Amino acid sequence: AAKAAGKSAYRRSTPALRESAVSRAELIADLRRAVDEEQLRLEFQPIVDLATGAVRSAEALVRWRHPRLGLLSPARFLPLAEETGLILPIDRWVIKEACRAAATWQDRVPTATVAVNIAAAHLRRPDLIATVTEATAGAGLAPRALTLELTESALIEGSDAVLDRLGQLRELGIRIAIDDFGTGYSSLSYLHRIPATELKIDRSFVSRISDDARAYATVEMVTRLADAFDLGVVAEGVETERQHDAVAAIGCVQGQGYRYGRPAALAELRAVLTKAALPGGGGSSR
Ligand code: C2E
Ligand code: MG
Ligand code: MG
Ligand code: MG
């Protein structure tokens, strides 16, 4: 049976996965070199203010330019990185690069922020605080310009030490977003304990918002919850005009998705930030 399953998995898999199945050890060795050999790169996806269309924020998303396999998405290599612990140097590189990028936006949009994804393993590390403060200070970036995105599952396994660490990060001014909100096991008591600054409503709800009353109700409920808790709220994965209209009508504050822009190179994101900051003039919205 294992053989049959292996065979069908082989047939269904993409070229990159087929190759990695042939030599998993090799891929791990490659990944170990990826940071030092500058094969990782960041793309930035705009996060827009739904009422004004202004872009003041972007999420940094990592990609791996593999020497033989080409450009790999996070889904292709992050599971392996997490298994091997290589996620730590990768995330450290991402935090540092994202801070350097955001520092170059400040002259255009002084309130611009950058969001980075943090693996569960990183949350358990006491040196997370040093990693983050060295990255912001090194880039000359104010801590309030950096958002750490954490998933519910990463937070749920969090000990008191993790909560303390998050509290310290908040005291430094770092923002904390709960990513893919609604897909984990969030309870209300837990939301009281996490010092979050924003909720990111998972794409699975947003994608069904126009034809599924429960998905609509979920987006509405999370938006009200965020308002009541005085948290920011971002609708993830907005692809269509209808989805945009629905999340905007509900009163969700920010949106992210292909409707507004795909993850793009740093220069492209910088151009979008500039363009969005100019119309409307006066800068009264901030
Ligand atoms: P995420 O943090 O929820 O990031 C959003 C993902 O949704 C990104 O996929 C983005 O490209 C995709 N997306 C954005 N808008 C749309 C849309 O309108 N439609 C659809 N179908 N997809 C959209 P990506 O870049 O492949 O990243 C996948 C996940 O990998 C991320 O999910 C995050 O959990 C993780 N990840 C990405 N970069 C990093 C990183 O530097 N460190 C860590 N630890 N995890 C990362
Ligand atoms: Mg994220
Ligand atoms: Mg997300
Ligand atoms: Mg998501």
Side-chain angles (χ1 to χ4, degrees):
K3 202 172 181 183
K7 207 173 170 190
S8 71
Y10 177 90
R11 225 180 283 119
R12 270 187 282 107
S13 65
T14 62
L17 289 180
R18 203 179 303 147
E19 183 118 355
S20 69
V22 168
S23 177
R24 190 188 130 93
E26 202 182 345
L27 201 67
I28 293 172
D30 291 348
L31 191 54
R32 216 175 282 284
R33 283 192 298 265
V35 173
D36 288 341
E37 300 195 351
E38 298 180 4
Q39 292 167 3
L40 298 181
R41 62 171 242 214
L42 287 183
E43 289 189 340
F44 298 88
Q45 186 176 32
I47 299 175
V48 310
D49 188 304
L50 291 173
T52 65
V55 178
R56 293 182 215 125
S57 183
E59 178 173 2
L61 296 157
V62 72
R63 278 90 182 85
W64 180 15
R65 200 185 285 282
H66 188 282
R68 282 168 291 114
L69 302 175
L71 198 64
L72 302 184
S73 68
R76 298 280 185 81
F77 64 93
L78 285 188
L80 201 59
E82 287 182 6
E83 272 176 56
T84 55
L86 290 169
I87 191 68
L88 293 170
I90 291 174
D91 274 358
R92 268 184 226 118
W93 179 86
V94 168
I95 295 167
K96 194 169 159 194
E97 285 299 306
C99 287
R100 285 165 56 165
T104 70
W105 305 341
Q106 305 295 308
D107 59 333
R108 301 292 176 95
V109 181
T111 55
T113 62
V114 71
V116 296
N117 296 282
I118 299 292
H122 228 136
L123 266 188
R124 293 191 288 265
R125 308 257 322 180
D127 62 4
L128 175 63
I129 294 177
T131 300
V132 166
T133 53
E134 278 163 27
T136 50
L141 188 75
R144 69 179 139 69
L146 177 65
T147 305
L148 304 184
E149 294 196 2
L150 316 167
T151 61
E152 287 172 89
S153 46
L155 290 166
I156 224 79
E157 40 180 86
S159 58
D160 286 348
V162 165
L163 288 175
D164 281 354
R165 198 132 55 232
L166 294 176
Q168 287 177 54
L169 287 164
R170 273 303 297 141
E171 274 166 36
L172 291 168
I174 306 281
R175 302 172 55 81
I176 294 167
I178 305 183
D179 205 352
D180 306 341
F181 191 80
T183 59
Y185 301 93
S186 37
S187 77
L188 293 177
S189 69
Y190 146 95
L191 256 193
H192 281 272
R193 297 175 56 198
I194 306 291
T197 51
E198 60 202 88
L199 306 179
K200 298 190 76 173
I201 307 174
D202 191 65
R203 178 171 89 225
S204 59
F205 304 112
V206 175
S207 66
R208 290 182 285 128
I209 197 167
S210 307
D211 33 49
D212 179 342
R214 290 186 178 197
Y216 187 99
T218 304
V219 174
E220 197 171 32
M221 185 207 68
V222 176
T223 301
R224 299 289 161 267
L225 186 67
D227 286 349
F229 279 59
D230 211 14
L231 303 174
V233 59
V234 183
E236 294 194 279
V238 178
E239 293 184 351
T240 68
E241 209 52 36
R242 281 186 78 192
Q243 290 164 2
H244 164 81
D245 290 346
V247 295
I250 284 171
C252 188
V253 180
Q254 292 184 297
Q256 179 180 352
Y258 298 164
R259 159 70 171 71
Y260 315 109
R262 292 189 176 248
L266 175 58
E268 226 174 294
L269 191 276
R270 191 173 144 87
V272 177
L273 272 179
T274 308
K275 208 169 66 197
L278 296 177
S284 58
S285 64
R286 53 194 147 288

